[in-house]
């Protein structure tokens, strides 16, 4: 077993261990899977490389995978979301860990390479950085059976690879499982984005005009929680059907240029770039708050914000723009995922579902490695339903099942 | 042209015409399509049979189809939803109309037959009754190119036909278009079901416990509007994923047997039968209100309610059950679609979208009749988006479009 | 006993009796008070004149007062809210009843006079018409001990009388009891106004811009339920503090002139007159819906709407205004209380609380007739709390009570 | 001028100054008052002692009062809410500052004494600790004209003094101003309590059962925001009218003993003590979260929680109770105000209104010192409305005003 640990400070391990213990109490599905895995050992001798936001919930995923018999190497997927104490706790407990908060681009890449040096059979990717690196270093993928992708952005990249023929092994679209996107993207993002904004700004949300760019599941969650705090919401979209949904949900819908002029707080959740840019900054009110909930820090154009700026509070930078620099725009968390860079990411119970899907999908890749082709697969419906049933059981919630007569009725569909 | 009019009373035409005029003002998309159709005449000489709830909004659909050049025969699809004045207005204006409120089963069937006697090229079905009748009377379908189905129940029936090989011509699943189910099933049902309940009962909703059976799009809409009126909501489901969604939306989730004991108002929206039955009635509180939002009046078991009942107000029947007949349960609208049988159905603006899809789908069937096979087709994405864009235009709402750079970014998906 | 019955048609009694029976099932507090009254007879030999919207819930108030031993004469307080079948049922059951739907001004006044001819000891007024009439006909008040006033408008009039010295006997401000205005004005009006609008227009509320004039308890309820149906809400106010409340509740706040230009549905709830007038009509969108929830039909200026109008549906009149009469504005229920004139008024459970306060206040006037002076009194806190506790008991809801230690802590307020 | 500075570390001043600058941008009303005060100098030569949670927004109040010409001494009112960097910034800028985070009881008292050593003409109290100390040290109050009280708890204490005759000088009930309690207690507490809980626990709120003890303005705000995040809410009350309000707002209402058995998160906002105690702990689920939003840390009985506990994360202590210590209850922020001890307190815009009332009330005491008697006064309506109008102006919101005709109508109240 290769244990390459590049972490900040091993002495932070106790603090990290406490964080992991706290989330463990709130991730019963993963605990159940861990316990099952410990008996069935579906990953005995398998090597798994994980590149996911390196904080306490991710640590629980690493434990579950290890309990299945795997050797596990862990790194982050965003330099501002790595928590050094959690990294230390994992390292102290025998995982191969690479990564620290605030790593440079170069350091970050080296951490990915170190992680892949385990020569994984399965990768868990979040955004596609491991996948990209394997183009450059195919040697590190020589034993690879396939992988799992956590987020929308990674899915988009895999689809692009499918189109241009550059996908070399099977990838499971964990993001697209019902138990993931219906909950993680909507309720998880909805709450954690506002946690990040509120703790950072200490400003009232009620009565404010909040502009949400993108009305996908993340945008829906963010808008719902903005309304739940008393805000007025303006949604921007490029898809006419989503635009009407936003309208029917009671939100204003407008092009960004119009929204820019009235917004107090702007939140991007599109997966696209330059969603808010120079032309929009120019019409904004002074004091407007800008932040991003998308995977990359390109949704708000930082080049267009310029460099005349000052950090006024942790995670708040005031950019002075316009004539005589008379307008101030407040960028949170340097335009990175505000829920992770200025908060603690999604609540534990949400990640419990997402990571349960991940853990079971890794086992699925291992078990079906002979059958899977070099394309993107959906998470099997059975895994999705199994996780849903575990979740209901964990909450003590019962549901109905069809009687035989009802089943016949539905099959026959006689009136 | 065959004009067979079997209607109640032609003298009601002025009242019906007024209703049609009122909804016309609120159905701008269909008006736009009607006006375009009048120029392009995509249905010149085509015969169309329509079996849809026969009220003012449906009349507007009939007008749009006729403007395209078609000969149109109209009937209802539920004997309690036909409005006699609207039927009269259509008859007075030259449509072939069959149907009246409160028709017997036999009369209803005759109305369907009369309608099909136009020997249609295209049918518009709502629930599948025309389709079923064509099994019995294949002669009436001798010129048929295909049809369009409006609702979930009809879709389920078509799928059953696809499975057993009894689908003889192409059917377009209008119900499954985004511009239909996302709006009609959710916001339409959500509002109109409560309109029906409120005007019928005149009881407060705030503080009441409302049990919603089924958390599909209709159930979601009903639950959302229950909450919007201050109710506590209990959702029952058979699907574990939908159950968790309901839980995360802040609703209680329980098996019907538990829900039955606490509910004040019960609403079914499942597409299944006997969802509420004897075992549930037995634990209900006296005074509980029962109603149905599904297509057929089988979701609440009427046989199990028994016959010891009295009509206490229009559309409210008190059923006495239990020991010494000491418990009263209030069934609304005889268990039929409460929004149509005790109200006026979906708001006009909602049906504007659904029927715009219908009208364009009929034209699509006519245009592509050579290419279409005997299976179920989704509404083409272009029709869906076209209707969405007309809707946005009608409301004066602008949205964004991708810049070239953004499009490249999304295609390449480079970070 | 003088029984002067001026009603439309006694043969409607069975329908009215059914309506009364329906609401009886949903007014347990009043039933309890009726039952107590029947034992204690606090109004033995007392004559009571009631002028309240003459529909089923009011009938239940009349029964409770009669059970206490009183002789009761009943009339309405608004010619469009009287339900002829309910009037017939009361007449058939021995009450002195005067009034019919659609009475002329002259007839309405005669009905009030007939009612007062009972020479009441106590009056129950709703809006102040009985009180005003007693100025003209002091002879009818020769035995009067005092009265109870149901609504805000009546309270305003009594205060004006207190100021100018023209109040001649004690009046209880029933409207200002917590168990009345906190529930009736907010949840009652909130629901019943929308019931009236929805059943009359059959238009979608979600996505619409609703303008609510006045953010008192009624306006708060109307706005809350507009939001609960997915509308965007604009509030107009003259009170800066209420304006900020509306803003913090997530609503737009604007002067009526600005609101007029964007609204789809306008609802007045101010107690003032000409709240929407010519200057506002001039900037409205064609098709805008106008309705009123205030006591008098003066909040929307009917003179300014002009007379070029047509009834397009029951309770909807299209007014053509502007250049070439090119704009259509839709006035509901002729500008009268839309929940009563185009609906059935407040839900039964709400009126249960309001009328429980009324019934107990009438007994209070009788009991304390020696002590009360010619001024306006609040409902005693004990009556308010008593009704609240009956309501909780009726719903089976328990609450906490202070321990001795807690009481001491609160009294001493030591930290 | 006496400048006694007892603070932690003057070198923290730059961080504090930045925080103060951030909130300054979001407190325009106070800035406007400061600027007016600088011209009119209503407090020239007046000495003011302030005991309010010592963080950035309070610093802005101190600046406004000083701009009016006053000499200002500042201390905190709760040892866990003092922010050392803000204290340092004020000290560095010439204020007399006493206080540090985590002071002992003894140190805290000494800080209050030091502050009063300025021998104030006016005090600003928050909870009543200055007032209490003046009983012991009447010498420090020899120049006192009166004071202003910020919070409900302080008001309760003043009322107790009025009853027992121990109130020696006039106190303005700032807490009871509309511009204070309608906004601060409801929207301020509603948001900041959840900010504190969310950032501390990182748990999902959607789907959880939240128990709110007390349905006053604070409890209403907390419950509203719980619902806005997707929680199910149970309210406990001792007041039957507030209990019905909670019920009609769609919440469950129950005695604490019943609520205790189902709650996931408990929040107290009652002003009372031992609201959650041994008997409740005994029926709670393991893992339940407990926190307090009331002024003192006595609402959740810490003695009954016992001492077998461990700090698992900052501001989360796990208490092990029950048989074999098998149950874990999580107390946040040691039972102190969770929004201040585990967060940054109310949003700046909210405190802008509250402190605007404070600043104007101090000037009012000074100006009217000859007229005011030794009792509690409400904030004059003019101050309340003035602040409301400044707030509307700051947000650019216009409202209507009555026409002459409307005013006459309301005065005369003719129909």
């Amino acid at each position: 077993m290769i244990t390459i640990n590049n972490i900040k400070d091993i002495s932070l391990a106790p603090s990290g261990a406490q964080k992991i213990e706290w989330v463990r109490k709130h991730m019963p599905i993963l605990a159940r899977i861990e316990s099952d895995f410990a008996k069935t050992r579906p990953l005995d001798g398998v090597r798994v490389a994980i590149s996911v936001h390196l904080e306490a919930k991710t640590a629980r995923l690493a434990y579950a995978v290890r309990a299945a018999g795997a050797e596990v190497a862990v790194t982050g997927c965003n330099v501002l979301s790595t928590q050094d104490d959690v990294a230390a706790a994992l390292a102290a407990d025998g995982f191969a860990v690479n990564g620290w908060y605030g790593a440079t681009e170069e350091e970050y890449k080296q951490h990915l390479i170190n992680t892949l040096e385990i020569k994984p059979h399965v990768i868990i990717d979040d955004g596609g950085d491991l996948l990209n690196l394997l183009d450059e270093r195919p040697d590190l993928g020589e034993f690879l059976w396939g992988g799992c992708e956590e987020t929308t952005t990674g899915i988009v990249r895999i689809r692009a690879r499918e189109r241009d023929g550059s996908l070399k092994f099977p990838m499971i679209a964990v993001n697209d499982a019902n138990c993931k996107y219906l909950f993680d993207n909507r309720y998880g993002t909805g709450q954690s984005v506002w946690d990040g904004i509120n703790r950072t700004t200490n400003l009232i949300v009620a009565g404010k005009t909040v502009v949400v760019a993108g009305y996908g599941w993340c945008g829906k969650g963010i808008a719902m929680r903005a309304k739940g705090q008393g805000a007025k919401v303006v949604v921007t979209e490029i898809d006419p059907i989503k635009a009407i949904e936003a309208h029917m949900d009671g939100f204003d819908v407008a092009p960004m240029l119009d929204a820019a002029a009235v917004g107090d707080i702007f939140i991007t959740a599109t997966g696209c770039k330059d969603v808010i840019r120079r032309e929009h900054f120019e019409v904004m009110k002074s004091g407007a708050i800008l932040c991003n909930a998308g995977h990359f820090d390109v949704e708000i154009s930082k080049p267009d914000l310029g460099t005349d700026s000052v950090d006024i509070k942790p995670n708040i930078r005031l950019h002075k723009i316009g004539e005589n620099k008379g307008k101030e725009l407040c960028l949170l968390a340097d335009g990175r995922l505000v829920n992770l860079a200025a908060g603690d990411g999604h609540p534990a119970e949400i990640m419990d579902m997402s990571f349960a899907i991940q853990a079971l999908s890794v086992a699925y890749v291992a078990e079906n490695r002979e059958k899977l082709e070099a394309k993107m697969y959906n998470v099997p419906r059975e895994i999705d339903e199994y996780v849903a049933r575990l979740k209901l059981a964990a909450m003590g919630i019962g549901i109905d099942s069809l009687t035989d007569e009802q089943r016949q009725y539905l099959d026959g569909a006689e009136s």
Side-chain angles (χ1 to χ4, degrees), chain A residues 1 3-11 13 20 54 59 63 66 74 84-99:
Chain A
M1 176 174 149
T3 305
I4 311 151
N5 277 315
N6 284 297
I7 58 164
K8 203 69 180 184
D9 181 0
I10 193 73
S11 77
I20 296 170
L54 214 176
Y63 275 101
R66 189 165 76 174
V74 186
D84 290 324
D85 54 357
V86 171
L90 284 176
D93 205 8
F95 289 87
V97 187
N98 286 277

Side-chain angles (χ1 to χ4, degrees), chain A residues 208-231:
Chain A
K208 286 234 164 37
T209 298
V210 171
V211 177
V212 178
Y215 205 61
W217 290 108
C218 290
K220 282 184 169 76
I222 295 166
M224 175 170 68
R225 294 298 173 241
K227 184 180 181 181
Q229 293 180 95

Side-chain angles (χ1 to χ4, degrees), chain A residues 149-396:
Chain A
E149 170 56 50
E150 175 72 12
T151 200
T152 313
T153 296
I155 301 295
V156 171
R157 287 170 141 191
I158 294 171
R159 276 197 216 294
R161 281 177 181 275
E162 274 192 315
R163 278 197 303 272
D164 69 16
S166 68
L167 184 66
K168 301 292 185 235
F169 42 83
M171 287 296 292
I172 310 290
V174 167
N175 179 73
D176 294 353
N178 282 309
C179 278
K180 201 277 180 178
Y181 79 88
L182 282 179
F183 304 101
D184 181 318
N185 301 21
R186 184 164 35 159
Y187 308 99
T189 304
Q191 178 172 324
S192 63
V193 159
W194 283 107
D195 181 8
I197 295 171
N198 288 346
R199 72 164 79 173
T200 303
T201 64
N202 193 222
L203 297 179
I204 191 77
V205 178
K208 286 234 164 37
T209 298
V210 171
V211 177
V212 178
Y215 205 61
W217 290 108
C218 290
K220 282 184 169 76
I222 295 166
M224 175 170 68
R225 294 298 173 241
K227 184 180 181 181
Q229 293 180 95
K232 290 175 279 191
V233 176
V234 184
V235 169
T236 74
E237 252 301 337
I238 56 167
D239 177 334
I241 293 168
K242 291 204 180 83
I244 303 177
E245 271 192 288
H247 169 79
M248 296 301 282
D249 284 338
F251 302 132
D252 272 304
V253 176
M256 183 56 83
L257 206 54
D258 295 348
V262 298
D264 297 307
I265 301 177
F266 295 79
I267 308 169
T268 51
T270 68
C272 194
K273 74 168 187 178
D274 297 340
V275 176
I276 309 184
R277 52 188 185 266
R278 188 181 315 277
E279 65 194 271
H280 307 126
F281 299 144
E282 282 170 358
V283 298
M284 284 183 183
K285 297 188 279 189
S286 191
I289 308 280
L290 308 171
C291 64
N292 168 48
H295 191 77
F296 291 113
D297 59 343
V298 300
E299 306 212 2
I300 298 164
S301 172
K302 290 196 280 189
D304 286 1
L305 275 176
T307 53
D308 189 354
S309 64
V310 56
D311 290 319
I312 188 165
K313 274 187 56 169
N315 283 317
I316 307 183
R317 178 170 293 169
L318 282 192
H319 285 268
K320 293 173 191 298
I321 68 160
E323 266 185 272
N324 307 318
K325 304 290 176 187
K327 185 190 291 187
E328 290 177 350
L329 300 179
C330 308
L331 181 66
L332 305 192
D334 201 33
R336 290 176 188 258
L337 287 147
V338 71
N339 53 346
L340 280 153
D344 296 308
H346 288 354
E349 302 93 334
I350 292 293
M351 296 316 297
D352 194 24
M353 296 179 74
S354 300
F355 284 161
I357 296 282
Q358 277 287 11
L360 295 170
S361 294
V362 170
Y364 180 83
V365 168
E367 191 184 340
N368 296 278
R369 61 184 179 271
E370 310 290 340
K371 293 180 235 158
L372 297 171
E373 299 164 37
K375 58 182 193 181
M376 188 161 72
Y377 287 89
N378 283 328
V379 171
R381 176 78 190 175
E382 306 83 66
I383 290 184
D384 226 346
E385 287 216 358
Y386 177 65
V387 169
R389 291 195 186 278
L390 287 183
K391 173 78 180 166
L392 288 174
M395 298 188 297

